[in-house]
């Protein structure tokens, strides 16, 4: 989101920047007039070099276009149009989609152009088609497409002696590199490569450039990337009070297998973003105050000052220090769209979680939401799943919120011998789980999300669980099963005895206490336990009993330990195989949804002095897993959120309301309905 005034203001600034670059070009062109003799001499020098190196293929290609007029016309029009349309069309696409790579792409495109302008001024070169006595046919002048040399407007402002380096090649190569950073997919990347090859053939065959202009144009992109890195790391850091120095560059840290898992699962359509959305009990703090607070505490939160370095095919990804952290990019302000209120906030969260975090920066973001007259202010905290899971997010918040949360109590799990003994049978059971038939509530996910919230009194939920002889997590699973059963019934489908398979995170170790140096990093602290939730027609109390019995058997069967062991074994695979195995974990035969119950602090908290009210978790989806139900116990309430893909699950808008209705039925059936209807709230149902 643009913090200085909406999309219109952002567009105006981007257009003004582009016009500024054009002004620079015109100033250079007219202020530094080239001597024709110097341009011709440089052009002949390049031709002599090519003839010596046997690279002079311009003439046969040029003759080919002369013999085939239609081919020459196509080449002339390609020369005049596709590089401009492709470059600025792609940049506009990145801006429109709010792609995290946009800022880098815009800055490097400007630098590519400015570096080329400097080269043209320092070493003017006449292109082959204008070089006297060499006999090249000017294909472009012959067919005269628009926006080329010879038209009145272009001839008045363009530099005809700008052959070396080829800005055509520089811009087209920039599209390909920017597309890789923006994660536009393999098809688009190959399309960019094809465009680069076609452009190279066209600029040479039309005699607009020499062959050696092509590598000159390619070198513009790394030169611009290096200049952008220097600009961002030094100049900006010296001038801005919101730039926070991270830790000094040191030894790189390998991304743990459990954390790298979510780097591999992530795609453009399925960002792996976790976090929470918290309403303030009053006005939210100013962005400057939050930035100042984070500037003081970032040195004690290592993962928030690091970025991911892709190891490529042979090496695993690494955590590296990001250097200077620009808090203006990580802490932004957003105005809640009209008419405001909780539904508008949930809709905003649904849009924010579709935007991947930029891997070239620390993988986190705070969005301070101004609710206006119709709703409270709020904060949306987003972190990449490679940094932490839900429990890990709470761990990070212990170092940010006030009062500082106490150190987590040590967690006692099975001993080393017991864990080792549980691995083999647990792995066998995991394999058998995958073969069992389940209800298919799955599909390939698109880019859109639905996000809904609900709140229940925690003590009432605990009373219902105790009355039924179950756990709070079992209650959450049974309520989810109720909603899915209603969904199937509404579609006219039947479960046929097949259950819904849910991934239920189980905490395996306590969060690390804050302030323990470089090793005090949260990471992913849970393993997924696969639980089958019956979704056939049955009373809600019977559904809870079936869930509880199945959950108790699996909790003690070694499956959680085996899940951890399997994830670690996957981490030993080469990166391509690890990625394939990670993505295969979420196959339709394994999971239908994610259901998570997380403990939070039992006391009121505040951010930068502003008290917090309701706090709802944010869970990511995975390709093939179209919904996730998360619950967070916080200050006496159970805050429930539902993230869903609305195309695969059109009923997602009614999911939270269905959970609340199912809870009232369960409370009545369990005989714990003395407080029925009290305290329950739903944001978007």
């Amino acid at each position: 989101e643009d913090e200085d005034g909406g999309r219109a203001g952002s567009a105006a600034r981007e257009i003004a920047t582009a016009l500024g670059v054009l002004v620079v070009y015109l100033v250079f062109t007219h202020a530094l007039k080239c001597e024709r003799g110097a341009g011709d001499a440089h052009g002949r020098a390049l031709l002599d070099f090519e003839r010596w190196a046997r690279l002079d293929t311009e003439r046969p290609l040029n003759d080919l276009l002369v013999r085939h007029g239609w081919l020459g016309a196509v080449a002339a029009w390609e020369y005049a149009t596709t590089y401009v349309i492709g470059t600025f069309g792609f940049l506009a696409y990145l801006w429109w989609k709010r792609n995290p790579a946009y800022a880098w792409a815009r800055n490097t495109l400007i630098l590519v152009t400015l570096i080329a302008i400097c080269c043209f001024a320092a070493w003017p070169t006449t292109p082959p088609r204008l070089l006297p006595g060499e006999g090249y046919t000017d294909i472009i002048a012959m067919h005269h497409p628009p926006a080329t040399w010879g038209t009145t407007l272009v001839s008045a402002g363009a530099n005809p002696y700008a052959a070396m380096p080829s800005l055509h090649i520089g811009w087209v190569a920039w599209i390909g590199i920017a597309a890789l950073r923006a994660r536009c997919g393999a098809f688009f990347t190959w399309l960019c490569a094809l465009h680069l090859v076609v452009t190279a053939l066209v600029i040479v065959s039309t005699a607009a450039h020499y062959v050696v202009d092509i590598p000159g144009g390619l070198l513009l992109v790394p030169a611009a990337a290096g200049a952008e890195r220097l600009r961002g790391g030094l100049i900006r850091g010296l001038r801005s009070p919101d730039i926070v120095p991270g830790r000094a560059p040191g030894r790189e840290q390998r991304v743990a297998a459990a954390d790298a898992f979510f780097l591999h699962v992530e795609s453009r359509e399925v960002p792996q973003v976790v976090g929470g959305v918290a309403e303030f009990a009053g006005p939210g703090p100013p962005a400057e105050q939050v930035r100042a607070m984070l500037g003081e505490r970032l040195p004690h939160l290592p993962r928030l000052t690091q970025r991911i370095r892709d190891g490529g095919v042979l090496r695993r990804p690494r955590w590296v220090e990001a250097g200077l952290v620009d808090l203006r990019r990580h802490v932004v302000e957003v105005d809640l769209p009209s008419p405001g209120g909780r539904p508008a906030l949930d809709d905003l969260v649904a849009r924010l979680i579709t935007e991947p975090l930029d891997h070239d920066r620390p993988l986190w973001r705070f969005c301070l939401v101004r609710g206006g007259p119709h709703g409270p202010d709020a904060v949306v905290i987003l972190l990449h799943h490679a940094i932490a899971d839900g429990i890990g997010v709470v761990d990070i918040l212990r170092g940010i919120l006030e009062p500082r949360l106490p150190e987590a109590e040590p967690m006692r799990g099975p001993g080393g011998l017991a864990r080792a003994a549980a691995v083999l049978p647990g792995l066998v059971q995991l394999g058998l789980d995958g073969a069992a038939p389940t209800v298919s509530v799955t599909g390939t996910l698109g880019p859109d999300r639905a996000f809904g919230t609900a709140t229940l009194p925690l003590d009432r939920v605990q009373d219902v669980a105790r009355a039924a002889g179950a756990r709070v997590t079992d209650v959450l699973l049974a309520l989810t099963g109720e909603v899915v059963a209603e969904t199937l019934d509404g579609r006219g489908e039947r479960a046929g005895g097949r259950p819904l398979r849910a991934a239920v995170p189980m905490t395996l170790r306590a969060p690390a206490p804050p302030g323990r140096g470089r090793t005090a990093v949260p990471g992913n602290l849970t393993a997924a336990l696969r639980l089958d939730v019956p979704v056939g027609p049955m009373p809600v109390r019977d559904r809870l009993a079936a869930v509880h019995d199945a959950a108790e058997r699996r909790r003690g069967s070694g499956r959680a330990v085996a899940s951890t062991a399997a994830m670690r074994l996957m981490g030993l695979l080469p990166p391509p195989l690890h990625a394939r195995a990670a993505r295969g974990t979420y196959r339709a035969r394994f999971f239908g949804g994610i259901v998570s119950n997380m403990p939070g602090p039992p006391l009121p908290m505040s951010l930068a002095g502003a008290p917090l009210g309701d706090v709802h978790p944010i869970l990511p989806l995975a390709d093939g897993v179209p919904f996730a139900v998360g619950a967070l116990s916080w200050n006496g309430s159970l805050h429930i959120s539902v993230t869903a893909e609305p195309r695969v699950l059109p009923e997602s808008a009614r999911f939270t309301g269905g959970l609340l209705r199912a809870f009232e039925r369960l409370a009545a059936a369990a005989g714990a309905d003395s407080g029925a209807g009290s305290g329950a709230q739903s944001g978007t149902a």
Side-chain angles (χ1 to χ4, degrees):
E1 288 297 317
D2 189 84
E3 59 179 311
D4 296 322
R7 298 287 275 171
S10 173
R13 284 190 295 275
E14 301 304 322
I15 293 172
T17 302
L19 293 175
V21 175
L22 177 61
V23 169
V24 171
Y25 176 79
L26 294 175
V27 168
F28 266 76
T29 299
H30 289 84
L32 301 173
K33 288 293 185 181
C34 166
E35 292 292 337
R36 177 64 186 262
D40 292 350
H42 294 155
R44 288 196 170 89
L46 293 182
L47 268 182
D48 290 341
F49 170 77
E50 289 185 356
R51 287 163 181 161
W52 172 80
R54 298 183 179 180
L55 297 174
D56 53 328
T57 60
E58 295 92 343
R59 178 61 61 79
L61 291 174
N62 187 242
D63 292 342
L64 178 66
L65 297 189
V66 172
R67 292 194 304 269
H68 302 281
W70 67 270
L71 191 59
V74 171
W77 280 82
E78 197 282 339
Y79 175 87
T81 58
T82 63
Y83 83 108
V84 174
I85 295 172
T87 299
F88 293 104
F90 182 65
L91 186 65
Y93 169 80
L94 294 181
W95 176 83
W96 181 257
K97 289 293 187 180
R98 296 181 172 90
N99 192 290
Y102 171 76
W104 181 92
R106 176 202 58 206
N107 294 345
T108 51
L109 178 61
I110 292 173
L111 289 168
V112 162
T113 306
L114 293 179
I115 293 170
I117 291 172
C118 293
C119 293
F120 302 152
W123 212 73
T125 308
T126 304
R129 64 193 179 94
L130 300 179
L131 197 60
E134 294 298 335
Y136 291 99
T137 300
D138 193 339
I139 301 294
I140 297 170
M142 179 185 298
H143 298 283
H144 221 290
T148 54
W149 181 257
T151 55
T152 303
L153 179 63
V154 175
S155 296
N159 181 2
Y161 308 110
M164 169 62 84
S166 169
L167 194 54
H168 274 69
I169 290 294
W171 280 7
V172 173
W174 167 89
I175 296 174
I177 299 302
L180 287 173
R181 292 179 68 96
R183 301 187 176 190
C184 291
F187 175 78
F188 189 81
T189 302
W190 282 108
L191 192 64
C192 291
L194 177 62
H195 186 201
L196 183 63
V197 172
V198 170
T199 301
L201 289 172
V202 165
I203 65 173
V204 172
S205 61
T206 57
H209 285 277
Y210 303 94
V211 172
V212 292
D213 294 344
I214 296 173
L218 293 174
L219 289 174
L220 290 173
V221 179
E228 167 63 10
R229 183 167 185 173
L230 180 64
R231 185 201 70 85
L234 296 178
I235 300 175
R236 186 183 61 203
L238 293 173
R239 291 181 178 177
S240 173
D242 290 322
I243 304 296
V244 177
R247 295 167 179 263
R251 186 177 180 182
E252 295 182 358
Q253 298 174 329
R254 177 184 294 182
V255 177
D259 303 337
F261 177 92
F262 296 103
L263 293 174
H264 296 313
V265 169
E266 184 174 53
S267 67
R268 174 66 189 163
E269 288 73 26
V270 192
Q272 292 299 295
V273 177
V274 296
V277 51
E279 293 180 333
F280 290 103
E288 294 77 11
Q289 188 173 335
V290 176
R291 290 174 187 142
M293 179 270 296
L294 286 170
E296 295 175 357
R297 300 185 184 181
L298 281 185
H300 306 291
L301 301 167
R303 282 291 182 259
L304 301 193
T305 61
Q306 296 173 328
R307 64 178 181 86
I308 290 286
R309 173 176 291 169
D310 187 2
V313 175
L314 299 179
R315 295 186 64 194
R316 292 174 174 82
R318 304 270 172 160
W319 290 109
V320 297
E321 298 301 333
L324 301 173
V325 181
D326 188 352
L327 292 178
R328 294 170 305 178
R329 292 183 177 271
H330 291 276
V331 180
V332 299
E333 289 186 289
V334 182
D335 290 329
L336 193 62
S338 179
R342 185 74 216 193
L345 178 59
D346 289 344
D347 289 343
L348 175 64
V349 173
R351 183 165 57 80
L352 291 174
I353 60 180
T354 65
E355 302 172 5
L357 296 167
D358 186 357
H359 285 211
D360 291 323
R361 300 180 182 276
L363 297 171
W364 61 275
R365 192 181 185 198
F366 277 36
C367 295
L368 294 169
V369 183
R370 304 307 175 192
H374 301 293
D377 291 350
V379 60
V380 182
I381 300 174
L382 304 172
L383 295 88
H384 197 286
H385 209 332
I387 291 181
D389 52 18
I391 300 298
V393 172
V394 175
D395 185 23
I396 290 176
L397 294 179
R398 288 178 26 234
I400 296 176
L401 301 178
E402 304 99 3
R404 297 293 185 92
L405 295 177
E407 182 173 325
E409 291 293 328
M411 301 182 65
R412 301 184 181 276
L417 184 60
R419 288 197 302 269
V423 169
L424 183 57
L427 287 174
V428 172
Q429 290 166 339
L430 283 177
L432 294 176
D433 286 346
T438 58
V439 169
S440 180
V441 184
T442 187
T444 301
L445 271 60
D448 297 328
R449 293 292 179 272
F451 185 79
T453 54
T455 300
L456 289 166
L458 181 59
D459 56 357
R460 187 164 177 241
V461 177
Q462 292 171 335
D463 288 343
V464 170
R466 279 192 294 267
R471 306 188 186 198
V472 170
T473 301
D474 301 334
V475 170
L476 191 63
L477 284 162
L479 299 180
T480 303
E482 283 283 297
V483 176
V484 173
E486 291 177 356
T487 298
L488 294 176
D489 185 61
R491 295 179 180 179
E493 301 176 11
R494 291 291 182 267
R498 294 172 297 154
L500 169 76
R501 179 145 298 156
V504 182
M506 290 188 63
T507 302
L508 298 178
R509 59 185 173 90
R516 289 193 181 176
R518 296 179 61 86
T519 59
V521 293
N524 284 270
L525 313 175
T526 58
L529 186 65
R530 300 172 188 163
L531 293 179
D532 289 344
V533 180
V535 291
M538 66 174 62
V540 62
R541 180 70 183 266
D542 294 347
R543 196 184 311 277
L544 175 58
V547 167
H548 175 69
D549 291 343
E552 290 301 300
R553 288 195 303 270
R554 294 190 177 225
R555 287 181 181 120
S557 67
R559 281 177 171 85
V561 176
S563 175
T564 305
M567 185 168 288
R568 289 176 177 171
L569 290 173
M570 277 196 288
L572 299 177
L573 296 172
L577 296 180
H578 186 197
R580 179 174 295 184
R583 289 190 289 267
T585 300
Y586 288 104
R587 287 172 295 193
R589 68 191 182 96
F590 281 162
F591 293 138
I594 298 171
V595 179
S596 178
N597 180 30
M598 295 166 283
L603 68 163
M605 307 294 296
S606 62
L607 174 68
L612 297 176
D614 288 352
V615 182
H616 290 88
I618 295 173
L619 273 63
L621 306 181
D623 205 9
V625 182
F627 76 91
V629 178
L632 176 69
S633 55
W634 183 287
N635 191 28
S637 296
L638 187 69
H639 301 283
I640 304 171
S641 66
V642 176
T643 306
E645 207 278 16
R647 183 179 58 82
V648 178
L649 195 66
E651 301 85 358
S652 56
R654 301 189 298 273
F655 211 110
T656 51
L659 288 174
L660 292 179
R661 291 190 296 272
F663 177 76
E664 296 304 332
R665 294 197 300 270
L666 178 60
D673 59 345
S674 58
S678 62
Q681 301 174 8
S682 177
T684 55

